[in-house]
Amino acid sequence: MREQYVLECCVDSVESAVAAAEGGADRLELCAALVIGGTSPGTALFEQVRKCCDLPIRVLLRPRFGDFLYTDHEFEIIKREVEIFREAGADGVVIGCLTQDGALDLKRMEQLIETAGRMKVTLHRAFDVCADPMETYERARDLGIDTILTSGQEKDCLTGLPLLQKLCVRQKQTAGPRIMAGAGVTPDVIRTFLAETEITCYHLSAKMVLDSGMRYRKEGVPMGLPDMSEYSIYRTDSRIVAEAKQVLSYAAKQN
């Protein structure tokens, strides 16, 4: 018997969280700055999302853009954020620390997991840049990690499908962390995965780009990445979420 299908939606605003819930998402991953891969959200955002949505929330904790080799100060920030969101009532945290050699930093991960207490722990896409994914999977199992979010160490999960298939087999063999396919997930990609793998957990942002409501626009003054318009707003499209959910609901009925 297959595990229950899970559709997790990654959001960085209350508006996107509400849209994900309306579309039928099973769980939220809450972050900030999704356009650069996500960083840690503020507690005020968490509180407002919790107020507006009754879905389980796992909070991404990542102090900056870039790799997952953290300084002592950055690690202490992550550890404190685990404590803050545990106290705030988050259902889980999404974390990951690597060593210089690309291995899972077991000492630091143990500290974070201990601080998390009863919260569920997802190992985020630090997994996708580790040196040995199968070894890292075993270490994650030893740590008691609940879920691994991964693209199969490729730019998107469809390209990474071969490794994801191997990880899914290892999950079944060892009852280890649940594999959650992410990066480039769409309803059509889910259909492909359902036909070719036994993966039951999917992570998507279902982004659409909205035009800002600003009438006066000062062009040529970028606040961040120069190639991005300051007047484009990225939000979750409830229609995409609903289609993905429909695909998984149909698959569940067939099983």
Side-chain angles (χ1 to χ4, degrees), residues 216-235:
Y216 172 76
R217 300 190 178 194
K218 180 67 174 177
E219 301 292 353
V221 187
M223 301 294 168
L225 299 174
D227 294 334
M228 293 183 58
S229 170
E230 301 294 337
Y231 301 104
S232 294
I233 300 171
Y234 294 82
R235 293 274 169 77

Side-chain angles (χ1 to χ4, degrees), residues 182-253:
V185 171
T186 66
D188 283 341
V189 167
I190 293 175
R191 291 185 182 98
T192 298
F193 269 72
L194 291 175
E196 299 186 25
T197 77
E198 293 190 49
I199 292 174
T200 57
C201 198
Y202 296 89
H203 171 98
L204 82 171
S205 60
K207 290 189 296 290
M208 61 177 173
V209 182
L210 301 176
D211 192 43
S212 167
M214 288 288 296
R215 290 192 295 271
Y216 172 76
R217 300 190 178 194
K218 180 67 174 177
E219 301 292 353
V221 187
M223 301 294 168
L225 299 174
D227 294 334
M228 293 183 58
S229 170
E230 301 294 337
Y231 301 104
S232 294
I233 300 171
Y234 294 82
R235 293 274 169 77
T236 295
D237 188 336
S238 62
R239 296 167 297 181
I240 298 175
V241 178
E243 184 181 351
K245 180 66 174 182
Q246 186 178 33
V247 172
L248 291 179
S249 295
Y250 179 80
K253 290 177 182 178

Side-chain angles (χ1 to χ4, degrees), residues 39-108:
T39 56
S40 302
T43 53
L45 175 59
F46 172 83
E47 290 167 352
Q48 193 66 17
V49 169
R50 177 65 91 193
K51 180 179 178 181
C52 296
C53 298
D54 59 3
L55 294 178
I57 302 172
R58 296 193 185 186
V59 181
L60 172 69
L61 301 180
R62 184 181 178 217
R64 57 164 170 78
F65 169 83
D67 65 33
F68 306 100
L69 177 65
Y70 294 117
T71 67
D72 290 342
H73 292 304
E74 288 170 336
F75 174 70
E76 289 303 320
I77 289 169
I78 299 171
K79 187 176 178 181
R80 175 61 181 138
E81 286 178 328
V82 172
E83 184 177 37
I84 288 170
F85 284 104
R86 185 194 70 213
E87 294 171 350
D91 299 280
V93 288
V94 184
I95 55 177
C97 302
L98 299 180
T99 67
Q100 289 180 316
D101 296 325
L104 199 59
D105 191 327
L106 298 179
K107 182 178 179 180
R108 284 182 164 180

Side-chain angles (χ1 to χ4, degrees), residues 153-172:
Q153 293 207 317
E154 296 288 351
K155 63 180 181 178
D156 59 67
C157 64
L158 201 55
T159 308
L161 195 150
L163 176 57
L164 287 163
Q165 287 175 316
K166 293 179 182 178
L167 291 166
C168 187
V169 170
R170 184 65 61 88
Q171 175 190 328
K172 292 187 65 177

